Every structure is written in structure tokens, then in C-alpha cells.
Amino acid sequence: MKFGSIRRNSSTPRIEPRIAILSGLIAVIMMVVGVRLYQLQVVQHQQLAELADRNRIRINRLPALRGLVFDSHNRPLVDTVPSYDAVMVPEDATDLSGTIKRLEKLLGQPGVAARLQDADDDDRPAYEPVTVAEHLTWPQVVALETHQLDLPGVSLQVTPRRHYLYGSMAAHLLGYVGEVNEKELAHLNGYSMGDEIGKFGVERGWENFLRGNSGGQEIEVDSVGRRLRLLREIPERPGNSVQLTIDLDLQQTVESALGDVTGAMVAIDPNTGYVLAMASHPAFDPNVFTGGVTPAQWHTLMTDPGHPLENRVIQGIYAPGSTFKVVDSIAGLMERTLTPDTTYNCPGGLWYGNREYRCWRKQGHGTLSLHRAIVESCDVYFYQVGAKLGVDRIAHWANILGLGAPTGIALAHEKTGVIPSSEWKRRRYHERWYPAETLSVAIGQGYVSVTPMQMAVMTAMVANGGTHYQPQFVREVDGLDGQPVRTYPPIIEGQAQIDPNVLSIVRDAMCDVVNGPGGTAHKAALPNITVCGKTGTAQVVAEKQGDRTKENALPEDERDNGWFIAFAPKDHPQIAIAAIFEHSGHGGTFAAPAVHDVLQKFFAEHPPPGTPAIAPPPSLLPPENNPQTPAEEQAQAGDQQQAIDQEQAADQAQAAEQDQTGDAGAPAAQTDDSDADTGETTADADPNADVDASAPTTESDSDADMGAPADSRPSPDDSRPSNF
Amino acid sequence: MASGIDRRLIYHFDWTLFALAIAIASIGVVSVLSATWTGLHHTVSPLVYHQIMWIGIGIALMAGAVLLDYRALGTYAYPLYGIAVALLGIVAVAGHSTGGSRRWINLGVLKLEPSELAKLALLIVIVRYLREEPPSGGFRLRHMIIPALLLVVPVGLVLRQPDLGTALVLMLIGATLIFVGGLNWRTMAIIGLAAALVAPVGWHYLKPYQRQRLVSFLDPHSDPLGSGYHIIQSEIAIGAGGDFGKGFLQGTQARLNFLPEQTTDFIFAVFAEEFGFTGSMILLGLYAAVIARGIWVARHARDRFGALLAIGITAIVFWQVAINIGMATGMLPVVGIPLPLVSYGGSSLIAMMAAIGILISVNTRRYLF
């Protein structure tokens, strides 16, 4: 170093080396800093960048609009209506207490302050809106909207709400929705707390189709949670709509025919298995469940002695009573223990074993053959038929006719009923079958139990020649553009090998039950249509079949429930019905007339070809007999206009070839009077028109077979975009 | 002689150091702009204009420092020191307090932060003390009494603010100078041991939040929303920068107010988030260049006074850079230390530029004896 001339001691510490040491220390520390920066910015970059995003990005879910449910004529049965809630961001309210007071006054209800307090107690993050009032009435909505300026921080939030247009009509079939619970959250993908999920009926079975995909928004927030801007948005996709096989008008007729009586009625198309109407009474109003059912309401529903939540069509098990004689007849004829000419004498009772089994007619029927025995429903005749057959052969044919097994309808909790056999009894009670018990079975009492659905299917089989169609109530699922995403053609469960002559014999007899002398169901007769059926009267069978006293046959007029099964017309039947009226006595008294009303309505709209008083083409029918949606009428009017024009053109041209005349006008218009079975949709009446139509989606058929019974839930479709 | 001196001064002017200082200060302006580019309203904050203004004043001071003979500092060392201490005293009594600490004197148009001044004043006064060659074997304990007293007063006053960071820097500057100045090794060991023993006592005197800061330095995640928050957010911001950063004004952490003290203590995080590892290395490189230059000047200085002055100034820059970046990256507890020439703050900026000016002066005048 070039410092002055001070002579230095050699042991004086020199500055130069110390500077060197300092430099070294500095270099080391700078390198450590550099390495640390490398570690943060290169090595840990990914992870720290993620944390940065988590800081500032909030996800806002956009729930999807649930799909609608239509009847076979595309009339809406279930839709979604907006529900208005009042929400408030207290941080944005400049005069909080004043705003609360004004809000409570406008709403006409207190509790706003309490709701805000609750939210704060629950550690509400800053700037997060609090719901202060729900399901506002329209006047409340208007009041809030017009006083916006006086209510800073308050806004309206619209949430979609499920709406069942016809209240309790077809409630058990349509089902209801509710908030997803813990179990469902654990087992199913794509649901978050607070989501709506179908709990029952179509809402549940077709949940995956109806649900749609929720979308979402990525919103950037600052460190106090204030929302700054939208970063990314995935639009939601509304659910598909479901078209049922149910005819709204027929359903309403069925429900009013049931009236106040506890019971059930179901009508199916014997050629396809499609359910035309299904009603169980007492029922409930599914609208109660939307927006959350209160514990009090739920309690009322659960403890109501009428069990309104039970769908008696598939869950009600009853002794079939005399309707079971149809089974006996077929069994006997097929097993050749019986012929149309076999006669037995009925003096009013039969001694078997060591006791008398009585006929409902105390004075007896005298000597009769099969036809009259069915028509007049003689018990004694069938005691004999049954005794000769034995319970196992009866069971065999009962099973062939679909009894004792689930029908396969896609509704949960279907019961199978009981068709007893000697093996069944040994398994169940560890006892042998006593022949006397067969007598009870023969007249549809004792251990025998069936559901109305099974009876309808059996009636359909008798009507159509032995084909067992699986009952279905969904015709197709449509996408947003109205195009079908999934269709449900008829499913044949089995074909019973029954001699057509045998069926013909039974059918003839059933027709005379309604139309012939001595028949027990005259009240079901229609003037122009040959209605065929069978009455039955029986006691309600308790759930626990262990009550052995039921095996004793009781005279018909002492029993409780009235059955009536029917199909019409006799040739080329179009409808099969099973109806049970609890506690109303004889089947012919109440059940039959109810069915009559239903059939009358049905045939007014679906006149069978070739019947004498054929209804004129629907275009000329007065509107009340042929209700259509305005759009259908429009289309029809257009077609009519077209027809008229063409007719005039044809007249002027005088060309015989131009068949596009008045006749053509009729078929074109007739498409609107659609055959319920084919379920044609009218494109104009597309109720989805106001829903945001995104690109059509094609769903692959990966949903589990809808025929799967009971509680199996169809698995989610993997080809759909994942829920946000 | 004025013109002669002027020309040689200009001729030998250390443009490198000057350029480096301006470069770093420019990065500072850019960072302050980013740090104040918050919320939705995109207007240039007045803070940016303040920063530019102070850089201007600093440049003027720098020119003045170059014209001045640095040896004059030796003459005025004690008075300067006295003024600094007096100012610190005023702060302690009548200072403007924010966030639990009194650091400023509000003079109406500007806020004066005496601690920054104190760093420079202390540096000068210790160098003044050490300007004589050490005795044989180096400075002994008895020689350390005066430096200790010189240190204790400002450190004590600063600790009362309370400003742990500045106290630490003052002590480090003192230690560096004493070490380079010729402290006997054994004495050094004794002092080191004594400091270690005294530390627990020091802990007792720490305020709770300062203790919490030390604890959360060791584990920031033990109190992520409280004392660990700063460190975690800073690390996230720096790490989120990645290789090349998010881009100018694109840093989200600062813009959205996730970073605390983003114009001052954590301004490095703002810069690092926007310019990434590349930017960090460049800035670190610029500082390293300044420090290296400072060391070079020290080794080539004309006299011991100049050399020590250069060392002291290098120490101010180095220690503050190391502690500030160390804190921002989570290697050190959070203490409020500005990043030289970058952090927003007039007192710091002016003091730093004056210091660089002195350094330039030392370098320039080595030709002048």
C-alpha cells in the first residue's frame, strides 16, 4: 500500500489482508443470496406460483338449469322457475343500520340484522354476500328493484327453483328434488354442498340427464377479498329434458277418478309397455320439497297414516281377490285340468277337509261352466279348479304371467309380492303345503299378494297374446335443440307360451264380465267400445306375511279392497288398466266406474280404427275435445291453410293427380293429434327455446340399463365434460 | 487552482460507479411504479415522482461530494455525528409514529428519517476515530471504549423507535470498520463471546412483536396470517416470478396488495416477481459490481482515511442489500431495512447517493495528491 511514511511495526495489523478477508465474506454471502434466489425462483417456482394464484383467485360456481319434464305430447309437467333472494354485502352499505331498517320495511319482514349477525359469527370472509331473505314474492322483488338507490349493498340473486306445474299430479312418478346429503356427496362425483339432486321418481332416475353441467368463473380478488375482474368463465350447460309416456289429460282423468279414495290406478299400452297414466292416492305436492322441506312438513308427511309418500302402484301389495281367477283359468286350461265345458255345481259353499268354504253368493250359482264362472265370479267353481291344479301349477302360471316378480319398471322400492308354492312355504315357514290352503289361493286370498303394476302387466299380457313388455314411463331424453339424446323403445321381458285359444276363451269371458248378463262390472261398459275386465275384492295384506290367519278364505262381501282390471277394445287392445280402491268394498262398485271414466276419456282422444262412431278427424273437432298447445294449434292452422290453398289450386287446375288436397290436409294436421305411443314431438312447441342453446351433445349410452330395479343409480356418463 | 482541480476531477471521474448507481436507482423507480400500480385505477402514483425528484437531488449531492475533499469529512465528523444523534433524539421525543414505530420527523413538505443519516454519520465518525494506524498488535479492548460509546448512543436511540434493523446495520458497519481498521484478533474473540452471552439479556429487552418476528423467521408457517405473513407472501411473490418474471406491471401479488410494505421493505419481491430470476441476478450483479468497485477503491485509495471511508460505504451498501434480500427470501427475520437506491424513501435515497458520491470522491482524488 502506498500510504505515508509511517514506519510500521510488522505486527501491526495490515489493512490489505483484512480487506481480502472482508471481500471473501462478502463473496460468500452474495453467493448464498444468489443460491437462495435460484431456489425460490427456479426450483420452487411452480409451487410458489400456485400459491400466488390461490391467493388471488376465487372460484364462483354457476349452477346449471335443470332439464324439464314433459308428457307424451310435449306439455311441460315440471319446469324451473326463478326464485329471488335478497343478498347484502354489508361492507358496501354506506349507512348499514339505515339500510337494514329500510330493507326490512320494504320486505315487510324482520330478521335482516339477525341474518347478518349470524353470518359474521360464522366468520364470513370480507365482501362475501349474505343472503338476508329468500323466496321473495313478486311485490317484494318489485319493491327492492324500485328502491335500489336507497339500498346500497343490497341486490337480488336469482336461483332456479323446481316447479311442479300440476301440484300433486303424478307426484310419485315425477318425484322431487332436494339438497344433496352427506351420503350422496360421498358416493357421487361432481356434486358440491348445496347442490340440488333428484331424490325420488323421474327426478332421481334420470338425474344424470336432467342435471346438466355447472359452469364456473375464475374471479380475481385482492388481499381483502374484493372482487376485481373475471379471469375465465366456463358457461354452464343446462340439463336435458325428459319426455314421459304419460298423457297429461289421461293422468288428470285418472287422478280425478281416484278422487278421495285411498288406492291406485295405472294404465299401460299393451302393445309397448308404455305407462299412459299412473296415480297413487293419497299423494303429496312435490313443490313442498323445493326450497327445502321444513322438519314440520316432513314429519307430517312421514306420520300421515295414509302414507302419501308411498307409491301404491308399485309398493302397495294387496291380495288380488277374484282377479286371480284369470290366472286359475289360464293355468287350468293350459294344464288341461280344465276345459271350457267343465262344469261344477255351486250351492253356495264347498265342503273341503273338515270345513265349509263359502261362495260370495250365499244361494250359490248352480251348475256352471268356465265362462259363466268367470263372468259371475263364482268362488266355489274356482275352489275346485284350484284344488285340481294344486298350488304349484297355479304358481307356475302366475309366474309366467309376471306375478311374484318385479315388473322391472325404473322406479325405486318396487315390491314383488308373493305367489306361494309348496317350496316357498317350506322355505319360509318350514312347513309343508296343506291342500286346503290352495282354495284360498285360487280365489286370490291367503298368501297371495300382488301390486297394481303387476296386475296391469298381466292384463296387458292377456290382451296382447302373452307378451310381457317391461313397463316404461320415459319415452326419450332430448337435448337442448330438441333432438333426442336417448330413446327408449319397448322392451320385451318375455313371451309367455300360451295357446291363443286359451287366451281367447278367457278374453271372451272377461268381456262378458263387463258387457254380458250377470257380469260383475257393468259400470265399466262403454257404448261403442268392447271393454273387457275382471273385478276383485280382497283384504289388504299386511307387510309381514307371517299372519297366518289370512289363509282362511272369507266371503267376498266381507273383504275390504276393490279391484278392477280391464283392457279395451277387445280386438286390437290399446289400453290395459289395473285399479284398486282400498276399503271401498266390491270391485264393481267403485273401481269399475272409475275405470269407465278413464276409458271414456281415453277413447274420446284415441278412437280405435273401424269402430262404428269413429271420431271425426281432429282438425274439425271442437277444441275442447282435442286440447293442444298453442304452438300445435298454430302448426295445425298453418297446415290447414296450406291444405285449403292446395285444394283451391287443385280445383283450378282440375288435375286428378294432385292428391295434395283436403285429404292431405287431414293427415298433416293429424300429426298433431299424436298417437301417444309414438310420442312425436312438435318442433315449434320447443319449450327449450328460451334456454341458452349451446352445441348439441350426444350422450353415449353408458348409463346403466334403466331396467335395473330398486336403488341402483345409473353411473355418470364419462363422455360428458367434467363438472366445474 | 479551482479550474485545475475541476478538470482533473472531471477527467478522473468514476463514471462506472456513477452509471451503476444510476442504473440501480432506475430499477428503483421502475419497482416503485410497479409497487404502486395497485387496484383498478392505473395512474402513476405521486410516489414515483418523489423518487425521481430525490434521485435528482441525490445526483446534485453526488456532484457536490465529488467536488468536496473527502478529508474535510474528518474535520466535521464529530459535528455531523452530533447532529445525527440530535435528530435521532428529536425523533424519539417528537417523532411521527406510524405502525407502532417512530421513525420520522415531519417537516411539513418532507419527512426526514434520521436513521438513514445516522448510518452515514456513524460511519464517518468511526472512520475518523480509526484514521490513525493501530498500535502494535492491533486495537485492544481499551481502544474500543470510544467506538462503543459512539455506537451505543445512536443504536440505543434507534432501538427506542423501535428499529431493530437499523440498529443491526449500525452495529455491522461499526464491526466491519473496526475489523478492517485493525482490531486485535483476541480482542475480537472476547467481544464476540461477550455478545453471545449478552444475547439472552437482549432477548429479554425485545418487544413481543420483535420476538415473534424472530420466532416466525424460524418457522413462518407457524403464524401464517400474523407475523409469518410477510415472509410467506414475499417468498410466494419472488418464487412466482419464475425464470423471466411475470412482466412489467404484471406482478399480481403487489398489485393486489398481498405484499406488505411493498414500496419499501419488500420492494425486492415486487421487482423479482415481475422480472424473475433473470432480473434478480441482474440486480444482484449490479450491487456486486458496486461493492466490488468499493473494495477496489479501498485498496487503491491514497490514504488510510479514504480506504476506511470506502470500506465503510461498501459496508453500508453490502449489509443492507444482504439483509434486505435475505429477509425478502425468508433467510432472515423481518427487519425494516431499505434496499439501497431502490426502496422508496427520500432520506435513504439521498444518503445513499451522497455515500456513493463520497466513494467517487475517494476514487477520483487518488490522483490528486
Side-chain angles (χ1 to χ4, degrees):
Chain A
M1 301 218 94
K2 311 171 222 139
F3 295 164
S5 49
I6 301 174
R7 203 168 43 85
R8 285 203 309 278
N9 203 319
S10 61
S11 64
T12 311
R14 290 154 58 84
I15 200 171
E16 175 78 42
R18 298 208 168 193
I19 291 181
I21 294 174
L22 182 66
S23 310
L25 180 67
I26 289 175
V28 166
I29 291 179
M30 293 294 269
M31 280 211 301
V32 166
V33 171
V35 165
R36 174 64 175 164
L37 283 169
Y38 179 79
Q39 185 189 35
L40 281 180
Q41 294 189 296
V42 178
V43 172
Q44 289 183 5
H45 165 59
Q46 192 62 27
Q47 164 198 348
L48 291 170
E50 238 178 68
L51 285 176
D53 279 347
R54 220 186 292 166
N55 266 346
R56 70 179 180 112
I57 294 181
R58 294 271 180 283
I59 309 264
N60 194 27
R61 274 181 90 230
L62 300 171
L65 224 53
R66 203 173 168 82
L68 312 189
V69 180
F70 298 93
D71 84 329
S72 54
H73 288 64
N74 254 339
R75 288 170 288 197
L77 299 174
V78 184
D79 67 7
T80 303
V81 298
S83 163
Y84 297 92
D85 300 335
V87 299
M88 190 163 174
V89 177
E91 285 86 356
D92 288 340
T94 43
D95 165 28
L96 186 60
S97 57
T99 306
I100 293 178
K101 256 202 278 282
R102 278 192 294 274
L103 182 58
E104 287 179 345
K105 181 149 169 282
L106 282 171
L107 290 177
Q109 66 188 54
V112 171
R115 299 282 294 258
L116 287 174
Q117 187 59 46
D118 285 341
D120 281 337
D121 289 341
D122 288 335
D123 291 326
R124 174 185 69 95
Y127 290 98
E128 191 160 283
V130 180
T131 306
V132 294
E134 282 143 342
H135 307 316
L136 300 183
T137 63
W138 190 243
Q140 285 175 319
V141 170
V142 168
L144 278 188
E145 281 288 298
T146 48
H147 290 92
Q148 267 290 4
L149 292 176
D150 295 331
L151 301 167
V154 176
S155 55
L156 282 173
Q157 194 179 70
V158 186
T159 39
R161 239 179 106 192
R162 206 68 169 144
H163 179 227
Y164 299 88
L165 276 72
Y166 297 94
S168 61
M169 189 191 83
H172 299 93
L173 184 62
L174 296 173
Y176 57 86
V177 294
E179 197 175 316
V180 62
N181 63 29
E182 276 176 40
K183 215 159 45 120
E184 290 159 338
L185 276 175
H187 290 252
L188 301 169
N189 284 334
Y191 288 88
S192 311
M193 260 186 51
D195 278 356
E196 218 177 38
I197 188 172
K199 299 274 188 185
F200 197 59
V202 169
E203 295 278 27
R204 176 176 162 159
W206 272 257
E207 166 71 13
N208 288 338
F209 286 110
L210 289 168
R211 192 170 177 241
N213 293 114
S214 31
Q217 296 171 317
E218 259 184 9
I219 298 182
E220 185 178 66
V221 300
D222 69 6
S223 58
V224 288
R226 199 174 329 165
R227 297 173 172 215
L228 295 175
R229 63 183 173 143
L230 182 66
L231 293 172
R232 194 163 71 110
E233 183 168 343
I234 295 177
E236 76 275 18
R237 215 172 45 103
N240 299 314
S241 51
V242 170
Q243 189 190 42
L244 302 179
T245 56
I246 304 292
D247 181 322
L248 173 61
D249 297 322
L250 198 67
Q251 178 76 23
Q252 281 173 329
T253 309
V254 164
E255 304 238 357
S256 59
L258 269 177
D260 288 331
V261 173
T262 303
M265 197 188 299
V266 54
I268 62 179
D269 181 339
N271 306 304
T272 59
Y274 291 142
V275 176
L276 302 168
M278 176 196 286
S280 169
H281 198 268
F284 58 94
D285 185 350
N287 285 309
V288 154
F289 290 90
T290 56
V293 60
T294 68
Q297 289 166 321
W298 181 249
H299 182 77
T300 309
L301 282 172
M302 290 296 273
T303 56
D304 186 332
H307 303 299
L309 291 171
E310 187 183 287
N311 182 354
R312 287 171 161 80
V313 172
I314 55 168
Q315 294 179 271
I317 46 176
Y318 308 92
S322 300
T323 58
F324 201 71
K325 291 167 182 165
V326 171
V327 178
D328 299 331
S329 310
I330 293 175
L333 289 168
M334 290 301 294
E335 295 286 338
R336 299 194 194 286
T337 57
L338 182 64
T339 73
D341 303 317
T342 310
T343 60
Y344 292 102
N345 183 44
C346 171
L350 175 75
W351 276 92
Y352 193 91
N354 56 356
R355 50 161 289 205
E356 188 193 18
Y357 291 81
R358 287 180 292 168
C359 186
W360 66 267
R361 195 154 190 263
K362 289 206 178 64
Q363 56 273 51
H365 294 92
T367 308
L368 24 62
S369 59
L370 179 62
H371 183 99
R372 238 190 90 211
I374 294 176
V375 169
E376 300 192 27
S377 197
C378 172
D379 292 338
V380 167
Y381 189 95
F382 284 96
Y383 288 149
Q384 314 258 38
V385 170
K388 243 194 163 163
L389 275 169
V391 70
D392 289 331
R393 285 196 284 195
I394 294 179
H396 173 75
W397 288 98
N399 288 324
I400 287 180
L401 287 165
L403 303 179
T407 62
I409 194 170
L411 287 172
H413 313 304
E414 186 186 12
K415 296 224 162 53
T416 62
V418 171
I419 296 294
S421 64
S422 48
E423 202 219 310
W424 169 85
K425 195 178 176 213
R426 212 175 313 126
R427 250 189 302 126
R428 181 77 199 260
Y429 294 101
H430 308 295
E431 271 184 16
R432 69 177 183 92
W433 184 265
Y434 297 109
E437 293 170 323
T438 312
L439 268 56
S440 314
V441 169
I443 57 164
Q445 294 285 154
Y447 297 110
V448 184
S449 62
V450 296
T451 67
M453 192 74 241
Q454 289 169 327
M455 292 308 282
V457 169
M458 186 192 84
T459 310
M461 286 175 74
V462 169
N464 68 25
T467 310
H468 180 175
Y469 288 97
Q470 183 193 96
Q472 298 190 80
F473 48 89
V474 174
R475 184 66 189 83
E476 66 183 41
V477 175
D478 297 322
L480 293 174
D481 55 358
Q483 293 307 304
V485 149
R486 168 106 188 236
T487 60
Y488 297 89
I491 298 173
I492 297 180
E493 293 267 284
Q495 181 68 42
Q497 300 301 321
I498 304 180
D499 188 336
N501 290 327
V502 166
L503 284 177
S504 168
I505 293 168
V506 172
R507 279 200 286 257
D508 285 343
M510 287 174 78
C511 290
D512 275 350
V513 167
V514 176
N515 303 300
T520 54
H522 285 153
K523 296 191 181 165
L526 282 178
N528 305 309
I529 315 270
T530 320
V531 176
C532 314
K534 183 74 192 79
T535 55
T537 314
Q539 271 181 325
V540 177
V541 177
E543 262 268 26
K544 297 190 179 15
Q545 273 275 24
D547 188 355
R548 309 266 296 273
T549 58
K550 296 288 187 286
E551 72 181 282
N552 295 329
L554 292 171
E556 254 194 3
D557 58 5
E558 280 177 36
R559 299 163 200 161
D560 283 344
N561 303 327
W563 276 100
F564 187 61
I565 57 176
F567 62 91
K570 181 177 171 203
D571 302 314
H572 309 295
Q574 291 174 259
I575 182 169
I577 295 188
I580 180 153
F581 278 52
E582 286 186 31
H583 312 302
S584 59
H586 193 272
T589 316
F590 290 104
V595 171
H596 162 269
D597 292 341
V598 174
L599 290 174
Q600 186 178 50
K601 174 74 172 180
F602 179 77
F603 287 109
E605 301 193 20
H606 305 93
T611 46
I614 186 171
S619 54
L620 301 178
L621 259 183
E624 60 188 293
N625 276 5
N626 199 15
Q628 299 171 322
T629 64
E632 285 175 89
E633 281 182 58
Q634 192 104 43
Q636 197 178 70
D639 285 339
Q640 282 176 279
Q641 191 59 38
Q642 200 178 38
I644 293 170
D645 288 345
Q646 286 167 337
E647 205 171 359
Q648 288 177 340
D651 284 342
Q652 287 168 7
Q654 290 227 350
E657 296 294 53
Q658 287 176 359
D659 269 347
Q660 325 289 334
T661 57
D663 292 347
Q670 207 157 26
T671 56
D672 291 329
D673 176 29
S674 65
D675 205 330
D677 313 334
T678 58
E680 285 181 28
T681 63
T682 334
D684 310 72
D686 190 287
N688 285 327
D690 41 308
V691 171
D692 189 24
S694 27
T697 56
T698 47
E699 306 284 345
S700 64
D701 273 10
S702 72
D703 283 293
D705 182 17
M706 283 302 155
D711 299 9
S712 64
R713 184 183 286 279
S715 55
D717 184 345
D718 289 328
S719 71
R720 287 153 68 101
S722 56
N723 280 343
F724 194 89
Chain B
M1 283 254 273
S3 49
I5 294 177
D6 284 347
R7 234 183 296 124
R8 271 181 302 169
L9 286 174
I10 294 168
Y11 185 71
H12 294 291
F13 186 78
D14 194 345
W15 292 107
T16 316
L17 257 180
F18 180 73
L20 285 171
I22 296 298
I24 297 176
S26 310
I27 289 181
V29 171
V30 163
S31 303
V32 170
L33 179 58
S34 291
T36 51
W37 198 252
T38 53
L40 297 163
H41 319 286
H42 292 312
T43 54
V44 177
S45 159
L47 298 189
V48 176
Y49 299 121
H50 294 169
Q51 191 87 339
I52 294 176
M53 174 183 74
W54 288 317
I55 292 175
I57 295 175
I59 292 176
L61 276 180
M62 216 191 269
V66 170
L67 291 172
L68 178 77
D69 186 348
Y70 64 85
R71 286 175 293 185
L73 288 173
T75 318
Y76 297 105
Y78 284 100
L80 268 170
Y81 175 76
I83 293 175
V85 166
L87 285 172
L88 281 176
I90 292 176
V91 163
V93 171
H96 177 81
S97 59
T98 50
S101 66
R102 276 180 200 269
R103 294 196 189 187
W104 292 302
I105 299 174
N106 199 338
L107 297 178
V109 284
L110 54 97
K111 289 210 284 268
L112 181 65
E113 202 174 345
S115 342
E116 300 302 317
L117 213 62
K119 291 171 191 166
L120 210 50
L122 182 73
L123 180 164
I124 294 171
V125 86
I126 291 191
V127 167
R128 163 74 175 82
Y129 177 80
L130 293 172
R131 75 173 169 185
E132 307 297 337
E133 285 282 344
S136 145
F139 291 113
R140 291 258 147 53
L141 214 52
R142 61 178 178 279
H143 302 113
M144 290 298 104
I145 295 176
I146 296 189
L149 286 171
L150 287 172
L151 253 180
V152 149
V153 175
V155 166
L157 284 171
V158 154
L159 277 177
R160 279 201 74 218
Q161 283 182 349
D163 187 348
L164 208 55
T166 304
L168 185 64
V169 168
L170 288 171
M171 290 198 285
L172 283 167
I173 292 172
T176 310
L177 283 170
I178 290 169
F179 168 71
V180 173
L183 185 61
N184 177 286
W185 288 102
R186 252 184 58 203
T187 315
M188 217 186 303
I190 294 172
I191 294 180
L193 204 65
L197 289 171
V198 157
V201 178
W203 177 266
H204 178 78
Y205 280 104
L206 279 179
K207 293 215 162 29
Y209 85 89
Q210 288 166 328
R211 291 191 210 177
Q212 184 56 37
R213 278 199 179 159
L214 287 175
V215 166
S216 55
F217 150 67
L218 293 169
D219 183 11
H221 292 273
S222 62
D223 188 5
L225 289 176
S227 49
Y229 182 74
H230 296 185
I231 295 182
I232 294 175
Q233 290 303 323
S234 179
E235 286 182 5
I236 288 177
I238 294 174
D243 292 325
F244 296 103
K246 291 209 177 143
F248 180 49
L249 295 182
Q250 301 302 319
T252 52
Q253 296 301 100
R255 188 166 52 81
L256 301 174
N257 284 318
F258 283 104
L259 267 180
E261 306 294 344
Q262 55 201 48
T263 53
T264 54
D265 299 348
F266 286 95
I267 192 139
F268 180 75
V270 174
F271 176 76
E273 188 186 12
E274 298 199 348
F275 298 99
F277 186 64
T278 314
S280 306
M281 287 299 108
I282 289 176
L283 184 58
L284 208 57
L286 288 171
Y287 279 123
V290 168
I291 292 166
R293 189 66 170 175
I295 302 254
W296 188 91
V297 168
R299 289 178 57 223
H300 291 90
R302 268 279 154 177
D303 56 1
R304 184 180 160 87
F305 188 72
L308 286 174
L309 217 50
I311 291 291
I313 291 168
T314 307
I316 288 188
V317 175
F318 167 68
W319 286 119
Q320 289 192 111
V321 166
I323 293 176
N324 182 287
I325 299 186
M327 178 185 69
T329 55
M331 290 194 293
L332 293 172
V334 174
V335 289
I337 293 285
L339 189 59
L341 296 174
V342 171
S343 282
Y344 171 79
S347 307
S348 168
L349 203 50
I350 289 174
M352 276 297 118
M353 298 213 79
I356 303 270
I358 297 174
L359 197 55
I360 292 176
S361 171
V362 171
N363 193 17
T364 309
R365 284 179 182 279
R366 65 191 162 92
Y367 297 105
L368 262 48
F369 297 120

